Amino acid sequence: MSYTPSGSNQHTLTRPLREHFPYRKNHLDTLGHVLQATLEGKHVIQQSIADRLPGEAQNPSKLRRVERFFSTHPLSQHHTATYLLNSLPDNEKLTFILDRTNWDLGQTPINILMLAVLQPSTNTALPLCWTTLNHSGNSSTKARVDLLEALFHMLPIERIGMLLADREFIGEPWLTFLVEHEVPFTLRIRENMHLDDIQAKVWFEDLRSSEVSEVVHDVLLAGLPVWTQATLSPEGERVIVISSVSDELLLERYRKRFRIECLFKNMKSLGFRLENTHMTDPRHLERLVCLLAVVFVWAVKLGERVHIRKKNHGRLARSVFRVGISLLLELFRKPLQALLDGLQLLFPRRCSPGILKLQNW
């Protein structure tokens, strides 16, 4: 299918990007072009990105440009994480979610351990930092610790309001690390784990469907004091969570962990089809996820400004992310001055009105 890129609008990102990313102009030009091409195509396949790049060059030349971007561009998750955190309120504690997403490229497993942050006003998970594991299956304690330590370098530990994670992310060394660094956590545990030397399922064996237990105080898991709460799902599955914090809302808080599942779906099959990439090099994959991280920040910044109707069950008729993506696509189709005005929403902190009046860079 032929495609006509959006012409001069492709060049308007360079100046505002410069305010947030410390790259040379040629790197900023390329970053802006690849970002917009990825957004407009909603696809991470390199050929799809190349098809949407501006300019008169032949497609093979554009494809080589995209390949060079993923192999040599200075874009890094340190810079995208800084940009993301700067887009969030600086006077609130933040909720973080740890999880993995994985797929296979032929016989090669791709396994990404990710730490996401919840955007407070919308509870939308955004990709903050991650690591590509060189194996299939569960992550190691070291890989988790490395991600948390990367987070500690980006913001004070006091800004961490809560860490959420599923049953995979349990173990004495890992819990000890969280306790020692005073990271509040709420985690789901397996039924066969022991609380005060009694299997967790025995603690809550009398639960009825959809019933929520009272918070059990000061039980020991792997020698560490935790609080716990449980419910029995309509399907008959016990959901047991532990926390370093005592309140009556442990399960309600833990439900926000599902937001990272929505993030993965929007990155993959329901959004940008990340699992279709042929990349296996961790450095190339890092730049690819960095692109998506920036696009996700933009989508949420626009989507949160729209009133979205709720359905009868209380959920939004459309997600903030999907509304934001639609608004982004509309924005980049607008005439130049309207686009420049709209960019103020995406680059609000340092992009001054004087900059927005410049139509050429």
Side-chain angles (χ1 to χ4, degrees), residues 182-224:
E182 299 182 347
V183 176
F185 60 83
T186 300
L187 314 172
R188 186 177 176 183
I189 64 172
R190 298 185 294 272
E191 288 188 353
N192 62 356
M193 299 192 74
H194 286 75
L195 301 170
D196 280 353
D197 297 324
I198 301 173
Q199 280 194 336
K201 65 181 179 181
V202 176
W203 277 91
F204 304 106
E205 62 184 353
D206 295 329
L207 279 177
R208 290 173 291 184
S209 180
S210 302
E211 182 183 6
V212 176
S213 73
E214 295 182 1
V215 174
V216 178
H217 292 272
D218 198 23
V219 297
L220 293 180
L221 175 69
L224 299 172

mmCIF file of all heavy atoms in Angstrom, residues 182-224:
data_model
loop_
_atom_site.group_PDB
_atom_site.id
_atom_site.type_symbol
_atom_site.label_atom_id
_atom_site.label_comp_id
_atom_site.label_asym_id
_atom_site.label_seq_id
_atom_site.Cartn_x
_atom_site.Cartn_y
_atom_site.Cartn_z
ATOM 1 N N GLU A 182 13.112 0.192 52.455
ATOM 2 C CA GLU A 182 11.870 0.875 52.831
ATOM 3 C C GLU A 182 11.001 1.178 51.612
ATOM 4 O O GLU A 182 10.423 2.269 51.491
ATOM 5 C CB GLU A 182 12.191 2.149 53.617
ATOM 6 C CG GLU A 182 12.942 1.875 54.921
ATOM 7 C CD GLU A 182 13.224 3.132 55.714
ATOM 8 O OE1 GLU A 182 13.071 4.238 55.160
ATOM 9 O OE2 GLU A 182 13.580 3.017 56.894
ATOM 10 N N VAL A 183 10.908 0.201 50.720
ATOM 11 C CA VAL A 183 10.020 0.306 49.559
ATOM 12 C C VAL A 183 8.687 -0.330 49.931
ATOM 13 O O VAL A 183 8.620 -1.551 50.127
ATOM 14 C CB VAL A 183 10.622 -0.400 48.326
ATOM 15 C CG1 VAL A 183 9.631 -0.370 47.161
ATOM 16 C CG2 VAL A 183 11.947 0.236 47.930
ATOM 17 N N PRO A 184 7.598 0.423 50.047
ATOM 18 C CA PRO A 184 6.296 -0.183 50.363
ATOM 19 C C PRO A 184 5.874 -1.125 49.238
ATOM 20 O O PRO A 184 6.062 -0.813 48.057
ATOM 21 C CB PRO A 184 5.358 1.023 50.460
ATOM 22 C CG PRO A 184 6.253 2.222 50.612
ATOM 23 C CD PRO A 184 7.517 1.886 49.891
ATOM 24 N N PHE A 185 5.299 -2.264 49.577
ATOM 25 C CA PHE A 185 4.927 -3.219 48.540
ATOM 26 C C PHE A 185 3.593 -3.877 48.869
ATOM 27 O O PHE A 185 3.197 -3.996 50.036
ATOM 28 C CB PHE A 185 6.006 -4.295 48.367
ATOM 29 C CG PHE A 185 6.291 -5.114 49.604
ATOM 30 C CD1 PHE A 185 5.490 -6.204 49.946
ATOM 31 C CD2 PHE A 185 7.376 -4.800 50.429
ATOM 32 C CE1 PHE A 185 5.757 -6.962 51.081
ATOM 33 C CE2 PHE A 185 7.650 -5.551 51.567
ATOM 34 C CZ PHE A 185 6.835 -6.628 51.893
ATOM 35 N N THR A 186 2.909 -4.287 47.817
ATOM 36 C CA THR A 186 1.731 -5.143 47.909
ATOM 37 C C THR A 186 1.881 -6.185 46.811
ATOM 38 O O THR A 186 1.890 -5.839 45.620
ATOM 39 C CB THR A 186 0.425 -4.354 47.728
ATOM 40 O OG1 THR A 186 0.337 -3.355 48.751
ATOM 41 C CG2 THR A 186 -0.783 -5.272 47.833
ATOM 42 N N LEU A 187 1.995 -7.455 47.204
ATOM 43 C CA LEU A 187 2.321 -8.529 46.277
ATOM 44 C C LEU A 187 1.343 -9.683 46.466
ATOM 45 O O LEU A 187 0.901 -9.969 47.580
ATOM 46 C CB LEU A 187 3.747 -9.048 46.518
ATOM 47 C CG LEU A 187 4.866 -8.019 46.683
ATOM 48 C CD1 LEU A 187 6.158 -8.710 47.105
ATOM 49 C CD2 LEU A 187 5.076 -7.248 45.395
ATOM 50 N N ARG A 188 1.050 -10.361 45.394
ATOM 51 C CA ARG A 188 0.265 -11.581 45.500
ATOM 52 C C ARG A 188 1.202 -12.751 45.797
ATOM 53 O O ARG A 188 2.340 -12.783 45.309
ATOM 54 C CB ARG A 188 -0.499 -11.856 44.203
ATOM 55 C CG ARG A 188 -1.447 -13.057 44.315
ATOM 56 C CD ARG A 188 -2.245 -13.252 43.055
ATOM 57 N NE ARG A 188 -3.070 -14.455 43.147
ATOM 58 C CZ ARG A 188 -3.841 -14.906 42.164
ATOM 59 N NH1 ARG A 188 -3.873 -14.259 40.999
ATOM 60 N NH2 ARG A 188 -4.550 -16.011 42.334
ATOM 61 N N ILE A 189 0.748 -13.704 46.604
ATOM 62 C CA ILE A 189 1.562 -14.875 46.919
ATOM 63 C C ILE A 189 0.836 -16.138 46.474
ATOM 64 O O ILE A 189 -0.374 -16.136 46.220
ATOM 65 C CB ILE A 189 1.908 -14.959 48.418
ATOM 66 C CG1 ILE A 189 0.632 -15.145 49.259
ATOM 67 C CG2 ILE A 189 2.696 -13.734 48.864
ATOM 68 C CD1 ILE A 189 0.920 -15.437 50.727
ATOM 69 N N ARG A 190 1.579 -17.221 46.384
ATOM 70 C CA ARG A 190 1.004 -18.513 46.031
ATOM 71 C C ARG A 190 0.331 -19.145 47.250
ATOM 72 O O ARG A 190 0.715 -18.911 48.397
ATOM 73 C CB ARG A 190 2.085 -19.436 45.486
ATOM 74 C CG ARG A 190 2.728 -18.920 44.204
ATOM 75 C CD ARG A 190 3.718 -19.930 43.646
ATOM 76 N NE ARG A 190 4.858 -20.103 44.547
ATOM 77 C CZ ARG A 190 5.956 -19.359 44.511
ATOM 78 N NH1 ARG A 190 6.056 -18.377 43.614
ATOM 79 N NH2 ARG A 190 6.953 -19.573 45.339
ATOM 80 N N GLU A 191 -0.657 -19.992 46.979
ATOM 81 C CA GLU A 191 -1.421 -20.623 48.063
ATOM 82 C C GLU A 191 -0.565 -21.512 48.945
ATOM 83 O O GLU A 191 -0.865 -21.700 50.127
ATOM 84 C CB GLU A 191 -2.566 -21.458 47.476
ATOM 85 C CG GLU A 191 -3.705 -20.651 46.904
ATOM 86 C CD GLU A 191 -4.873 -21.545 46.535
ATOM 87 O OE1 GLU A 191 -4.721 -22.780 46.603
ATOM 88 O OE2 GLU A 191 -5.946 -21.017 46.205
ATOM 89 N N ASN A 192 0.513 -22.081 48.377
ATOM 90 C CA ASN A 192 1.313 -23.027 49.157
ATOM 91 C C ASN A 192 2.420 -22.358 49.956
ATOM 92 O O ASN A 192 3.219 -23.041 50.604
ATOM 93 C CB ASN A 192 1.904 -24.106 48.244
ATOM 94 C CG ASN A 192 2.846 -23.526 47.194
ATOM 95 O OD1 ASN A 192 3.002 -22.304 47.105
ATOM 96 N ND2 ASN A 192 3.449 -24.386 46.401
ATOM 97 N N MET A 193 2.503 -21.030 49.916
ATOM 98 C CA MET A 193 3.492 -20.334 50.726
ATOM 99 C C MET A 193 3.014 -20.297 52.177
ATOM 100 O O MET A 193 1.810 -20.386 52.466
ATOM 101 C CB MET A 193 3.739 -18.927 50.191
ATOM 102 C CG MET A 193 4.287 -18.921 48.767
ATOM 103 S SD MET A 193 4.893 -17.311 48.245
ATOM 104 C CE MET A 193 6.423 -17.219 49.171
ATOM 105 N N HIS A 194 3.961 -20.169 53.101
ATOM 106 C CA HIS A 194 3.644 -20.278 54.526
ATOM 107 C C HIS A 194 3.586 -18.914 55.201
ATOM 108 O O HIS A 194 4.503 -18.085 55.046
ATOM 109 C CB HIS A 194 4.682 -21.156 55.230
ATOM 110 C CG HIS A 194 4.518 -22.617 54.930
ATOM 111 N ND1 HIS A 194 4.877 -23.172 53.731
ATOM 112 C CD2 HIS A 194 4.002 -23.631 55.684
ATOM 113 C CE1 HIS A 194 4.618 -24.476 53.748
ATOM 114 N NE2 HIS A 194 4.077 -24.777 54.924
ATOM 115 N N LEU A 195 2.509 -18.706 55.920
ATOM 116 C CA LEU A 195 2.351 -17.548 56.787
ATOM 117 C C LEU A 195 2.324 -18.060 58.221
ATOM 118 O O LEU A 195 1.449 -18.867 58.575
ATOM 119 C CB LEU A 195 1.053 -16.803 56.461
ATOM 120 C CG LEU A 195 0.901 -16.270 55.028
ATOM 121 C CD1 LEU A 195 -0.516 -15.780 54.786
ATOM 122 C CD2 LEU A 195 1.907 -15.160 54.760
ATOM 123 N N ASP A 196 3.284 -17.613 59.031
ATOM 124 C CA ASP A 196 3.406 -18.153 60.390
ATOM 125 C C ASP A 196 3.446 -19.688 60.375
ATOM 126 O O ASP A 196 2.766 -20.361 61.177
ATOM 127 C CB ASP A 196 2.234 -17.677 61.268
ATOM 128 C CG ASP A 196 2.441 -16.258 61.788
ATOM 129 O OD1 ASP A 196 3.540 -15.709 61.582
ATOM 130 O OD2 ASP A 196 1.501 -15.714 62.388
ATOM 131 N N ASP A 197 4.205 -20.225 59.428
ATOM 132 C CA ASP A 197 4.416 -21.681 59.318
ATOM 133 C C ASP A 197 3.159 -22.461 58.943
ATOM 134 O O ASP A 197 3.119 -23.688 59.087
ATOM 135 C CB ASP A 197 5.000 -22.247 60.623
ATOM 136 C CG ASP A 197 6.368 -21.665 60.932
ATOM 137 O OD1 ASP A 197 7.122 -21.433 59.967
ATOM 138 O OD2 ASP A 197 6.664 -21.440 62.111
ATOM 139 N N ILE A 198 2.123 -21.775 58.479
ATOM 140 C CA ILE A 198 0.905 -22.440 58.020
ATOM 141 C C ILE A 198 0.683 -22.033 56.561
ATOM 142 O O ILE A 198 0.825 -20.856 56.207
ATOM 143 C CB ILE A 198 -0.314 -22.036 58.878
ATOM 144 C CG1 ILE A 198 -0.079 -22.394 60.336
ATOM 145 C CG2 ILE A 198 -1.593 -22.681 58.356
ATOM 146 C CD1 ILE A 198 -1.161 -21.875 61.266
ATOM 147 N N GLN A 199 0.340 -23.000 55.711
ATOM 148 C CA GLN A 199 0.107 -22.671 54.316
ATOM 149 C C GLN A 199 -0.971 -21.599 54.171
ATOM 150 O O GLN A 199 -1.985 -21.616 54.876
ATOM 151 C CB GLN A 199 -0.299 -23.914 53.523
ATOM 152 C CG GLN A 199 0.873 -24.799 53.128
ATOM 153 C CD GLN A 199 0.483 -25.817 52.075
ATOM 154 O OE1 GLN A 199 -0.679 -26.174 51.941
ATOM 155 N NE2 GLN A 199 1.467 -26.287 51.331
ATOM 156 N N ALA A 200 -0.748 -20.680 53.235
ATOM 157 C CA ALA A 200 -1.660 -19.544 53.082
ATOM 158 C C ALA A 200 -3.079 -19.999 52.780
ATOM 159 O O ALA A 200 -4.054 -19.393 53.254
ATOM 160 C CB ALA A 200 -1.151 -18.628 51.976
ATOM 161 N N LYS A 201 -3.228 -21.073 52.011
ATOM 162 C CA LYS A 201 -4.584 -21.518 51.676
ATOM 163 C C LYS A 201 -5.338 -22.000 52.908
ATOM 164 O O LYS A 201 -6.574 -21.930 52.959
ATOM 165 C CB LYS A 201 -4.532 -22.611 50.615
ATOM 166 C CG LYS A 201 -3.860 -23.899 51.046
ATOM 167 C CD LYS A 201 -3.844 -24.898 49.907
ATOM 168 C CE LYS A 201 -3.146 -26.205 50.295
ATOM 169 N NZ LYS A 201 -3.113 -27.162 49.165
ATOM 170 N N VAL A 202 -4.602 -22.468 53.923
ATOM 171 C CA VAL A 202 -5.258 -22.905 55.159
ATOM 172 C C VAL A 202 -5.790 -21.701 55.932
ATOM 173 O O VAL A 202 -6.851 -21.766 56.556
ATOM 174 C CB VAL A 202 -4.280 -23.726 56.021
ATOM 175 C CG1 VAL A 202 -4.910 -24.109 57.354
ATOM 176 C CG2 VAL A 202 -3.829 -24.975 55.253
ATOM 177 N N TRP A 203 -5.032 -20.606 55.900
ATOM 178 C CA TRP A 203 -5.497 -19.388 56.563
ATOM 179 C C TRP A 203 -6.882 -18.979 56.047
ATOM 180 O O TRP A 203 -7.714 -18.460 56.795
ATOM 181 C CB TRP A 203 -4.523 -18.240 56.281
ATOM 182 C CG TRP A 203 -3.315 -18.185 57.175
ATOM 183 C CD1 TRP A 203 -2.109 -18.766 56.962
ATOM 184 C CD2 TRP A 203 -3.203 -17.491 58.414
ATOM 185 N NE1 TRP A 203 -1.244 -18.484 57.991
ATOM 186 C CE2 TRP A 203 -1.892 -17.692 58.905
ATOM 187 C CE3 TRP A 203 -4.082 -16.708 59.176
ATOM 188 C CZ2 TRP A 203 -1.434 -17.160 60.093
ATOM 189 C CZ3 TRP A 203 -3.624 -16.164 60.369
ATOM 190 C CH2 TRP A 203 -2.307 -16.399 60.816
ATOM 191 N N PHE A 204 -7.112 -19.190 54.750
ATOM 192 C CA PHE A 204 -8.321 -18.644 54.123
ATOM 193 C C PHE A 204 -9.166 -19.744 53.482
ATOM 194 O O PHE A 204 -9.854 -19.518 52.498
ATOM 195 C CB PHE A 204 -7.912 -17.614 53.055
ATOM 196 C CG PHE A 204 -7.040 -16.511 53.586
ATOM 197 C CD1 PHE A 204 -5.679 -16.480 53.295
ATOM 198 C CD2 PHE A 204 -7.575 -15.520 54.396
ATOM 199 C CE1 PHE A 204 -4.875 -15.464 53.783
ATOM 200 C CE2 PHE A 204 -6.773 -14.492 54.890
ATOM 201 C CZ PHE A 204 -5.417 -14.470 54.590
ATOM 202 N N GLU A 205 -9.155 -20.935 54.072
ATOM 203 C CA GLU A 205 -9.859 -22.050 53.452
ATOM 204 C C GLU A 205 -11.374 -21.932 53.565
ATOM 205 O O GLU A 205 -12.111 -22.597 52.826
ATOM 206 C CB GLU A 205 -9.406 -23.371 54.074
ATOM 207 C CG GLU A 205 -9.690 -23.502 55.568
ATOM 208 C CD GLU A 205 -9.136 -24.801 56.139
ATOM 209 O OE1 GLU A 205 -8.662 -25.625 55.334
ATOM 210 O OE2 GLU A 205 -9.165 -24.976 57.371
ATOM 211 N N ASP A 206 -11.877 -21.088 54.453
ATOM 212 C CA ASP A 206 -13.323 -20.969 54.641
ATOM 213 C C ASP A 206 -13.947 -19.821 53.840
ATOM 214 O O ASP A 206 -15.135 -19.531 54.009
ATOM 215 C CB ASP A 206 -13.643 -20.765 56.129
ATOM 216 C CG ASP A 206 -13.262 -21.981 56.965
ATOM 217 O OD1 ASP A 206 -13.333 -23.099 56.428
ATOM 218 O OD2 ASP A 206 -12.883 -21.799 58.137
ATOM 219 N N LEU A 207 -13.156 -19.173 52.993
ATOM 220 C CA LEU A 207 -13.698 -18.075 52.205
ATOM 221 C C LEU A 207 -14.800 -18.558 51.267
ATOM 222 O O LEU A 207 -14.703 -19.624 50.663
ATOM 223 C CB LEU A 207 -12.585 -17.422 51.377
ATOM 224 C CG LEU A 207 -11.676 -16.406 52.060
ATOM 225 C CD1 LEU A 207 -10.601 -15.948 51.089
ATOM 226 C CD2 LEU A 207 -12.463 -15.211 52.574
ATOM 227 N N ARG A 208 -15.842 -17.746 51.122
ATOM 228 C CA ARG A 208 -16.883 -18.018 50.148
ATOM 229 C C ARG A 208 -16.677 -17.135 48.914
ATOM 230 O O ARG A 208 -15.942 -16.159 48.954
ATOM 231 C CB ARG A 208 -18.256 -17.773 50.768
ATOM 232 C CG ARG A 208 -18.629 -18.796 51.828
ATOM 233 C CD ARG A 208 -19.898 -18.422 52.540
ATOM 234 N NE ARG A 208 -19.698 -17.220 53.378
ATOM 235 C CZ ARG A 208 -20.623 -16.705 54.172
ATOM 236 N NH1 ARG A 208 -21.818 -17.278 54.244
ATOM 237 N NH2 ARG A 208 -20.376 -15.632 54.894
ATOM 238 N N SER A 209 -17.332 -17.482 47.818
ATOM 239 C CA SER A 209 -17.135 -16.775 46.557
ATOM 240 C C SER A 209 -17.351 -15.274 46.712
ATOM 241 O O SER A 209 -18.366 -14.833 47.280
ATOM 242 C CB SER A 209 -18.091 -17.329 45.497
ATOM 243 O OG SER A 209 -17.908 -16.657 44.268
ATOM 244 N N SER A 210 -16.374 -14.503 46.228
ATOM 245 C CA SER A 210 -16.389 -13.027 46.235
ATOM 246 C C SER A 210 -16.274 -12.418 47.630
ATOM 247 O O SER A 210 -16.297 -11.193 47.774
ATOM 248 C CB SER A 210 -17.644 -12.479 45.540
ATOM 249 O OG SER A 210 -17.708 -12.949 44.207
ATOM 250 N N GLU A 211 -16.120 -13.247 48.659
ATOM 251 C CA GLU A 211 -15.938 -12.721 50.014
ATOM 252 C C GLU A 211 -14.514 -12.196 50.168
ATOM 253 O O GLU A 211 -13.558 -12.771 49.640
ATOM 254 C CB GLU A 211 -16.201 -13.817 51.039
ATOM 255 C CG GLU A 211 -16.077 -13.349 52.494
ATOM 256 C CD GLU A 211 -16.279 -14.484 53.487
ATOM 257 O OE1 GLU A 211 -16.395 -15.642 53.039
ATOM 258 O OE2 GLU A 211 -16.317 -14.208 54.700
ATOM 259 N N VAL A 212 -14.367 -11.106 50.905
ATOM 260 C CA VAL A 212 -13.057 -10.515 51.190
ATOM 261 C C VAL A 212 -12.769 -10.678 52.665
ATOM 262 O O VAL A 212 -13.588 -10.313 53.521
ATOM 263 C CB VAL A 212 -13.021 -9.026 50.795
ATOM 264 C CG1 VAL A 212 -11.692 -8.398 51.196
ATOM 265 C CG2 VAL A 212 -13.254 -8.865 49.291
ATOM 266 N N SER A 213 -11.610 -11.224 52.991
ATOM 267 C CA SER A 213 -11.254 -11.437 54.391
ATOM 268 C C SER A 213 -10.878 -10.125 55.055
ATOM 269 O O SER A 213 -10.550 -9.136 54.394
ATOM 270 C CB SER A 213 -10.075 -12.395 54.488
ATOM 271 O OG SER A 213 -8.882 -11.742 54.065
ATOM 272 N N GLU A 214 -10.908 -10.107 56.362
ATOM 273 C CA GLU A 214 -10.328 -8.990 57.098
ATOM 274 C C GLU A 214 -8.811 -9.056 56.971
ATOM 275 O O GLU A 214 -8.232 -10.101 56.673
ATOM 276 C CB GLU A 214 -10.733 -9.060 58.568
ATOM 277 C CG GLU A 214 -12.230 -8.885 58.801
ATOM 278 C CD GLU A 214 -12.565 -8.907 60.282
ATOM 279 O OE1 GLU A 214 -11.634 -9.042 61.108
ATOM 280 O OE2 GLU A 214 -13.755 -8.790 60.605
ATOM 281 N N VAL A 215 -8.169 -7.927 57.187
ATOM 282 C CA VAL A 215 -6.712 -7.899 57.124
ATOM 283 C C VAL A 215 -6.147 -8.642 58.329
ATOM 284 O O VAL A 215 -6.524 -8.382 59.473
ATOM 285 C CB VAL A 215 -6.188 -6.454 57.098
ATOM 286 C CG1 VAL A 215 -4.673 -6.435 57.176
ATOM 287 C CG2 VAL A 215 -6.669 -5.744 55.836
ATOM 288 N N VAL A 216 -5.260 -9.601 58.055
ATOM 289 C CA VAL A 216 -4.585 -10.341 59.118
ATOM 290 C C VAL A 216 -3.282 -9.614 59.428
ATOM 291 O O VAL A 216 -2.470 -9.366 58.543
ATOM 292 C CB VAL A 216 -4.299 -11.789 58.684
ATOM 293 C CG1 VAL A 216 -3.556 -12.535 59.784
ATOM 294 C CG2 VAL A 216 -5.604 -12.507 58.343
ATOM 295 N N HIS A 217 -3.088 -9.301 60.685
ATOM 296 C CA HIS A 217 -1.962 -8.449 61.053
ATOM 297 C C HIS A 217 -0.743 -9.258 61.474
ATOM 298 O O HIS A 217 -0.847 -10.310 62.096
ATOM 299 C CB HIS A 217 -2.359 -7.517 62.210
ATOM 300 C CG HIS A 217 -3.370 -6.494 61.825
ATOM 301 N ND1 HIS A 217 -3.031 -5.278 61.299
ATOM 302 C CD2 HIS A 217 -4.734 -6.522 61.870
ATOM 303 C CE1 HIS A 217 -4.130 -4.581 61.046
ATOM 304 N NE2 HIS A 217 -5.174 -5.317 61.391
ATOM 305 N N ASP A 218 0.407 -8.737 61.094
ATOM 306 C CA ASP A 218 1.678 -9.141 61.685
ATOM 307 C C ASP A 218 1.906 -10.654 61.625
ATOM 308 O O ASP A 218 2.220 -11.297 62.618
ATOM 309 C CB ASP A 218 1.747 -8.675 63.145
ATOM 310 C CG ASP A 218 3.192 -8.669 63.655
ATOM 311 O OD1 ASP A 218 4.121 -8.584 62.826
ATOM 312 O OD2 ASP A 218 3.378 -8.760 64.868
ATOM 313 N N VAL A 219 1.751 -11.215 60.427
ATOM 314 C CA VAL A 219 2.143 -12.601 60.217
ATOM 315 C C VAL A 219 3.529 -12.613 59.574
ATOM 316 O O VAL A 219 3.971 -11.615 59.022
ATOM 317 C CB VAL A 219 1.133 -13.357 59.335
ATOM 318 C CG1 VAL A 219 -0.220 -13.419 60.011
ATOM 319 C CG2 VAL A 219 1.007 -12.698 57.962
ATOM 320 N N LEU A 220 4.206 -13.732 59.656
ATOM 321 C CA LEU A 220 5.569 -13.818 59.139
ATOM 322 C C LEU A 220 5.585 -14.597 57.835
ATOM 323 O O LEU A 220 5.050 -15.702 57.745
ATOM 324 C CB LEU A 220 6.486 -14.493 60.157
ATOM 325 C CG LEU A 220 6.740 -13.724 61.454
ATOM 326 C CD1 LEU A 220 7.670 -14.525 62.368
ATOM 327 C CD2 LEU A 220 7.336 -12.346 61.171
ATOM 328 N N LEU A 221 6.216 -14.011 56.831
ATOM 329 C CA LEU A 221 6.485 -14.688 55.565
ATOM 330 C C LEU A 221 7.987 -14.636 55.351
ATOM 331 O O LEU A 221 8.570 -13.553 55.271
ATOM 332 C CB LEU A 221 5.765 -14.003 54.408
ATOM 333 C CG LEU A 221 6.078 -14.563 53.022
ATOM 334 C CD1 LEU A 221 5.487 -15.957 52.865
ATOM 335 C CD2 LEU A 221 5.549 -13.647 51.925
ATOM 336 N N ALA A 222 8.622 -15.812 55.300
ATOM 337 C CA ALA A 222 10.074 -15.894 55.155
ATOM 338 C C ALA A 222 10.773 -15.074 56.238
ATOM 339 O O ALA A 222 11.788 -14.419 55.991
ATOM 340 C CB ALA A 222 10.503 -15.424 53.764
ATOM 341 N N GLY A 223 10.188 -15.058 57.425
ATOM 342 C CA GLY A 223 10.795 -14.361 58.546
ATOM 343 C C GLY A 223 10.520 -12.878 58.593
ATOM 344 O O GLY A 223 11.008 -12.194 59.500
ATOM 345 N N LEU A 224 9.743 -12.356 57.647
ATOM 346 C CA LEU A 224 9.471 -10.919 57.587
ATOM 347 C C LEU A 224 8.013 -10.663 57.963
ATOM 348 O O LEU A 224 7.105 -11.363 57.501
ATOM 349 C CB LEU A 224 9.743 -10.388 56.181
ATOM 350 C CG LEU A 224 11.178 -10.551 55.681
ATOM 351 C CD1 LEU A 224 11.269 -10.169 54.203
ATOM 352 C CD2 LEU A 224 12.135 -9.694 56.497
#
